[in-house]
Amino acid sequence: MSPLTDHGLAVQSRLSQAYGLSPDAVLSMMDAVSRGGGMQAQFNVPELGGMGQWQSGGMTMVGDMFNTGLQNTVNNLCGEIANAYYQGAFYQPAPQPQGSWQGQQQGGASMTFSGGSFGSWWPSDLGQPSSQGSQNNLSYAIFPQSRRLAVNLNGQVTVYDTGDHLIGGVGQQQSGDASWTFTSQYGTVYLNQLPVVSGTGSAPEPSFAQPEPARMQPEPVSQPDPAPAPVQQGGDSDQIFAALEKLGSLRDMGILSEDEFAAKKAELLSRL
């Protein structure tokens, strides 16, 4: 990290006293906001609850999710750093690397080496990441402004579209398939669930099978009870009373008129 300018030193001193933080903690936050272009920051500062994220005019996340006081402190601190960021440079210009050779002759041929992102393994069009790191055989770089995550796994570079995820870090699940994951405001997300922009990474896999659309089942149609079987002369009285109940039901359902009901009723009663 380059030395601070007079403006940067003044901002560091003022905010350290105002928020009761160590100069190193403030410097880490200044660096995080600077890497986010004054619009956002991803940081890991123990004095501020460890890992967290801040976005101008958006959501502030801290390690202790329910500590609203700490969230307000981080939000206010990052807001003041962002305002100071636009007022002047925090860091002195870095010395130019001695990596560009022009006009040197080798076998009579002129050789030119351009600077660019010397030593960067991610595509140069992504610019500078807000944060980067490595774990085991994987390296990653996060580019929140372009919503990209570059991953270098065993020398194979893949660029993923992070969408609206605010990435806080990358890790490896302790499972049989050794799946790589990252954390965001939505929790743990598998790396292979992100859309691949370029590289050799696998395409996103569905996290669950889509359910088949429910089929409409026809509603059962109520069928009227069949008319009571005629009762033979001299039949059992229980059968006659059951037939009378059936007739009453058919009348209540509107299948028999009052006259039809009365006629059938009289016929049945005559057989008692």
Side-chain angles (χ1 to χ4, degrees):
M1 185 182 301
S2 301
L4 291 172
T5 62
D6 291 341
H7 173 66
L9 288 171
V11 172
Q12 180 189 33
S13 176
R14 177 175 60 83
L15 295 181
S16 176
Q17 296 178 8
Y19 288 89
L21 298 171
S22 68
D24 288 342
V26 174
L27 181 60
S28 296
M29 296 302 294
M30 291 170 61
D31 182 58
V33 174
S34 297
R35 286 186 279 108
M39 298 297 297
Q40 52 193 345
Q42 295 181 344
F43 57 88
N44 190 351
V45 179
E47 293 181 44
L48 294 173
M51 184 179 296
Q53 299 181 46
W54 169 81
Q55 188 171 10
S56 178
M59 178 174 53
T60 299
M61 297 177 58
V62 294
D64 187 355
M65 297 179 58
F66 302 102
N67 191 337
T68 56
L70 180 59
Q71 289 179 347
N72 291 333
T73 297
V74 171
N75 184 61
N76 295 335
L77 174 62
C78 290
E80 290 201 51
I81 293 175
N83 291 334
Y85 172 81
Y86 291 110
Q87 296 173 2
F90 289 159
Y91 307 105
Q92 298 178 13
Q96 293 298 321
Q98 302 297 320
S100 297
W101 300 348
Q102 295 188 8
Q104 293 188 9
Q105 299 296 321
Q106 179 175 348
S110 175
M111 300 178 59
T112 302
F113 296 86
S114 59
S117 299
F118 180 76
S120 300
W121 51 264
W122 55 83
S124 59
D125 59 341
L126 293 177
Q128 291 300 314
S130 63
S131 61
Q132 57 180 305
S134 62
Q135 182 177 347
N136 297 334
N137 58 343
L138 178 141
S139 300
Y140 67 92
I142 303 171
F143 305 86
Q145 291 181 318
S146 57
R147 298 186 176 185
R148 293 292 184 264
L149 169 66
V151 171
N152 185 347
L153 181 60
N154 294 322
Q156 300 294 328
V157 177
T158 304
V159 178
Y160 296 89
D161 184 349
T162 59
D164 59 349
H165 289 287
L166 298 176
I167 299 178
V170 174
Q172 189 176 21
Q173 290 283 21
Q174 299 300 319
S175 59
D177 59 357
S179 299
W180 288 95
T181 63
F182 67 86
T183 56
S184 77
Q185 72 271 35
Y186 303 119
T188 301
V189 180
Y190 285 90
L191 197 61
N192 61 8
Q193 291 178 331
L194 292 177
V196 176
V197 177
S198 64
T200 58
S202 59
E205 299 175 0
S207 56
F208 55 88
Q210 294 294 333
E212 294 183 0
R215 298 179 179 178
M216 300 296 295
Q217 298 292 337
E219 295 183 0
V221 180
S222 299
Q223 298 292 339
D225 294 333
V231 181
Q232 300 297 328
Q233 185 69 28
D236 190 89
S237 60
D238 292 337
Q239 293 180 346
I240 294 176
F241 289 134
L244 287 172
E245 291 181 2
K246 291 285 187 180
L247 284 175
S249 298
L250 294 174
R251 180 198 59 185
D252 296 337
M253 295 172 61
I255 297 175
L256 294 178
S257 64
E258 288 292 340
D259 293 338
E260 292 173 332
F261 170 77
K264 291 289 185 180
K265 177 180 178 182
E267 179 183 348
L268 289 173
L269 290 176
S270 66
R271 298 178 183 181
L272 289 174

